[in-house]
Amino acid sequence: MTTNLLIKRRTVLAGGLVLGASTFLPQARAQAPLKVAGIHASPVENAWNSRLHEALQAAAKDGVIEYTFSEGVSGTDYPRAMREYAEQGNKLIVGESYAVEREARQVAADYPDTAFLMGSSGEAAGDNFGVFGTWNHDGAYLAGMLAGKMTKSGIVGSVGAIPIPEVNMLINAFAAGVKEVNPDAKHLVSFIGTFFDPPKAREAGLAQIDAGADILFGERIGTADAAKERGIKAVGSLLDYTPRYPDTVFANAMWYFRPILDAAVADVNAGKPVGRSYTAYGLMKEGGSDIVYVKGVAPAEAEAAMEARRADIKAGKFEVPILMEEPK
């Protein structure tokens, strides 16, 4: 490893949290642990990165992979980190290419024997550059259905990172769920311009509360802090924030990376190309996302309507609208 890349490197051979039911595949178990590297642009405490990190840790604990990772990697250093991990013999590199789409694809082309699985707004490339989106919009829609029946001011708010398609889709889904049960509700939207800045997300949330919002959807960490400070309810995204904010966060649009990871590991172990989209493994009907909520906070009839819609989504009878344009 070169020493001029000043980012934190750690190896995880065991340990970590198992989130949800593990679905690792038999062929992955039958082989020696796959050497996998994770490159995180934000700290692994960031909500999105924590989903990847904890799934990778769990796979390491299960003996499926050997896991090394870097966190807080800047956009300028990201391609270099990808190259270093490829040169170290990692068979699969997991990360995100939102800020370095062109550069990441060039690295993959330069290392055809290394598989790359990247969070991306673009398409897969070649045989070794696979992509996935964070599609927990089903859970966001269902949380919106609860929020739409709970709001007393008729105004809800969403605080997002940057208006990329996946973030837009999530916020639009929450708004659509609100509108299904409360067509007259008003939806405020703010973007903080970065993927990790909890104080900035808090300030954006406070501004929305000052504008009348009495329920906030926190696509970004920090939003719930504003809701807690002002004594209103909030919805979390990606992971379960309720234990951290027990009197504030009543519902969470969950996303589980493990099914996506398992599918990619199985492909690598089988010698199959990974140049495809793995997004579908993260859908609710595939067990890759869901809603978790505190029962009894929303009206009983609202919970019943939401659960009926949830069952329809899982059965493939209802599809939450996928709207990737920037919400207004």
Side-chain angles (χ1 to χ4, degrees):
M1 180 187 300
T2 60
T3 59
N4 58 346
L5 187 55
L6 300 178
I7 51 182
K8 191 178 296 183
R9 300 286 170 97
R10 286 178 261 179
T11 301
V12 178
L13 297 178
L17 300 174
V18 180
L19 301 178
S22 176
T23 57
F24 51 89
L25 303 178
Q27 58 263 45
R29 273 182 164 175
Q31 301 189 25
L34 187 72
K35 193 173 180 181
V36 178
I39 309 176
H40 304 278
S42 299
V44 292
E45 290 78 14
N46 184 37
W48 187 87
N49 298 92
S50 75
R51 298 285 79 189
L52 275 63
H53 183 58
E54 290 171 354
L56 287 156
Q57 284 184 309
K61 182 178 180 180
D62 292 336
V64 177
I65 67 172
E66 176 185 329
Y67 173 44
T68 305
F69 73 97
S70 302
E71 61 181 335
V73 182
S74 68
T76 54
D77 277 335
Y78 210 94
R80 180 154 47 126
M82 293 173 68
R83 292 181 185 278
E84 287 185 359
Y85 278 132
E87 290 170 3
Q88 290 166 20
N90 288 281
K91 298 302 182 183
L92 174 64
I93 295 174
V94 177
E96 56 200 279
S97 59
Y98 297 111
V100 289
E101 293 286 355
R102 181 178 60 82
E103 296 90 339
R105 284 167 169 73
Q106 182 57 59
V107 173
D110 292 341
Y111 294 91
D113 296 328
T114 304
F116 296 84
L117 177 63
M118 309 296 284
S120 173
S121 297
E123 301 294 329
D127 289 334
N128 68 326
F129 190 89
V131 297
F132 65 91
T134 312
W135 284 25
N136 60 323
H137 60 300
D138 291 334
Y141 184 92
L142 297 175
M145 289 181 66
L146 297 179
K149 283 296 187 181
M150 290 170 57
T151 177
K152 295 181 173 58
S153 67
I155 303 173
V156 299
S158 294
V159 177
I162 298 169
I164 60 173
E166 283 79 10
V167 173
N168 294 343
M169 177 179 63
L170 187 61
I171 292 175
N172 285 329
F174 173 74
V178 171
K179 292 290 187 181
E180 177 179 331
V181 300
N182 190 345
D184 296 326
K186 183 178 179 181
H187 181 221
L188 307 177
V189 182
S190 301
F191 293 100
I192 63 173
T194 182
F195 288 109
F196 188 73
D197 192 336
K200 197 169 184 178
R202 170 185 165 275
E203 289 298 326
L206 289 173
Q208 292 184 350
I209 296 170
D210 288 341
D214 62 356
I215 298 177
L216 298 182
F217 174 56
E219 194 274 327
R220 286 296 105 183
I221 287 179
T223 309
D225 292 310
K228 179 180 179 180
E229 185 175 325
R230 296 292 182 85
I232 68 168
K233 298 297 184 183
V235 174
S237 179
L238 298 179
L239 64 148
D240 186 355
Y241 285 97
T242 301
R244 192 184 308 180
Y245 303 93
D247 298 319
T248 302
V249 177
F250 70 95
N252 301 271
M254 302 294 292
W255 181 67
Y256 307 104
F257 182 64
R258 188 67 187 270
I260 293 174
L261 175 64
D262 288 338
V265 168
D267 283 346
V268 174
N269 282 333
K272 296 180 180 179
V274 299
R276 64 186 181 100
S277 174
Y278 289 83
T279 299
Y281 294 97
L283 295 176
M284 182 178 288
K285 63 183 180 181
E286 300 295 336
S289 60
D290 208 339
I291 182 175
V292 296
Y293 66 101
V294 181
K295 293 185 177 180
V297 176
E301 62 273 17
E303 290 184 3
M306 183 277 289
E307 285 289 0
R309 183 65 77 208
R310 182 187 190 191
D312 286 343
I313 293 171
K314 289 185 174 183
K317 297 178 180 179
F318 179 82
E319 291 188 6
V320 172
I322 297 175
L323 305 173
M324 292 191 172
E325 64 271 16
E326 182 175 346
K328 303 298 184 182

